[in-house]
Amino acid sequence: MMAIRRVGILGAGKVGIVLAGLALAAGYEVRISGSGSVEKIALTIKTLVPGAIASENTEVVANSDVVILAIPLSRYKNIDPTLLQGKLVIDAMNYWWETDGIREEVLDPTTTSSEQVQAYFKGATIVKTFNHMGYHNLQEEARPKGDAKRKALFVTGDDHDAVDQVAAFVDSMGFDTVVHYQMADGIMTEPGSPLFGASLRHDELKHTIDHFDQTDFGKQIADRMH
C-alpha cells in the first residue's frame, strides 16, 4: 500500500474536527466534509482547524490516501457505497442512542457495527480505531513516541497489511497501539464495554483486552453473536 500523506475525514463534528487537528499537527494534508454545503462548514473549519481544506465528500475521497468515517453511525448508509471503492477507510464511528435512535433500527444485532460497515462498503478496506477514546482525550492526550504518559488506541480489521498501515498512522498521530487482526474484535470497543470511554496506557489497554472475555459484557456479546 502507498504511504499515507493525505487524510480525508467525512464528518465535521467533534471527533472529525479533533482528528483533523491531530492530522495537521502530524504533518498530513487534510480534507474534511460535513453534512451541509462546503460554504456552510468552511468558516468553521477555518476557525477550528486552520489549514484543513473544506470539501465535498467526493473531493475528500478522491484526494485522500486514507478516509476516516467520523459521522453518526446511523448515517453511514447516506453515503454511496461505491464512493469508497478501493480506499483504505478508518471506521471511527459508534452506535450512540442519543444520536442514532433505537439500536435495532440501525444495526443487525448479530454482528458488530464495523462488520456491517465493511459489508456495506464492500469495495473498501475497513479498519476500526479512534472510536473508544473520548474526543477530549484524543485532543488533549496525543504525545510523542516514548512519552511515559502516552495513551494507546485499539486497532483492528480483517486485512493484516491495512491494520498495520493504520496502526503506523495512529502512532504518528500521537498514540501507541494494541493491534488485532479480526474485525469482530471491534466489539470490545463499542459502548457498554470496559474499553469504551477509557483513556489507557499501552499496558493497561492490553491487559483490559486480554481479560475482556472474562467479563460479563464479553459473555453477553458472545451469546448475542452465536
Side-chain angles (χ1 to χ4, degrees):
M1 289 188 175
M2 70 175 73
I4 295 172
R5 295 185 302 276
R6 305 170 303 161
V7 176
I9 301 170
L10 303 185
K14 295 181 176 71
V15 173
I17 293 292
V18 166
L19 293 177
L22 292 176
L24 284 168
Y28 294 101
E29 180 182 303
V30 179
R31 285 176 173 78
I32 186 167
S33 63
S35 55
S37 65
V38 172
E39 293 74 27
K40 187 176 176 183
I41 68 162
L43 183 59
T44 302
I45 299 305
K46 188 176 180 181
T47 304
L48 297 179
V49 276
I53 303 163
S55 304
E56 299 283 0
N57 283 0
T58 51
E59 291 177 16
V60 169
V61 173
N63 293 285
S64 299
D65 302 316
V66 64
V67 178
I68 302 173
L69 292 173
I71 57 178
L73 183 64
S74 55
R75 297 183 200 162
Y76 77 86
K77 288 187 177 177
N78 292 353
I79 300 170
D80 183 336
T82 64
L83 181 66
L84 300 178
Q85 185 80 25
K87 286 288 181 177
L88 174 60
V89 178
I90 294 173
D91 176 10
M93 302 182 293
N94 282 307
Y95 164 76
W96 194 244
W97 66 272
E98 291 181 343
T99 307
D100 299 316
I102 299 167
R103 185 184 181 100
E104 287 70 24
E105 293 180 3
V106 179
L107 292 169
D108 175 344
T110 62
T111 65
T112 66
S113 63
S114 287
E115 288 175 287
Q116 291 171 58
V117 172
Q118 177 67 85
Y120 180 75
F121 296 111
K122 55 182 176 287
T125 303
I126 307 288
V127 177
K128 190 175 188 73
T129 192
F130 292 126
N131 70 300
H132 65 82
M133 192 184 290
Y135 68 89
H136 281 301
N137 294 116
L138 286 169
Q139 186 171 38
E140 296 164 7
E141 303 204 66
R143 283 181 166 74
K145 196 173 183 66
D147 189 306
K149 294 183 178 179
R150 202 180 205 223
K151 300 299 175 67
L153 289 167
F154 186 55
V155 184
T156 194
D158 291 332
D159 186 301
H160 198 293
D161 291 341
V163 171
D164 287 349
Q165 188 172 21
V166 169
F169 173 67
V170 171
D171 182 84
S172 76
M173 296 273 273
F175 299 91
D176 288 338
T177 60
V178 174
V179 172
H180 279 205
Y181 298 104
Q182 188 168 341
M183 184 70 82
D185 287 352
I187 194 70
M188 293 191 269
T189 65
E190 291 187 14
S193 77
L195 279 184
F196 185 73
S199 179
L200 303 172
R201 293 192 304 274
H202 182 272
D203 56 340
E204 298 168 327
L205 180 63
K206 190 170 189 313
H207 181 269
T208 303
I209 290 168
D210 288 346
H211 290 79
F212 181 86
D213 288 338
Q214 297 169 26
T215 68
D216 289 339
F217 183 77
K219 293 189 184 76
Q220 171 193 328
I221 295 303
D223 290 343
R224 193 182 84 191
M225 293 176 64
H226 292 94

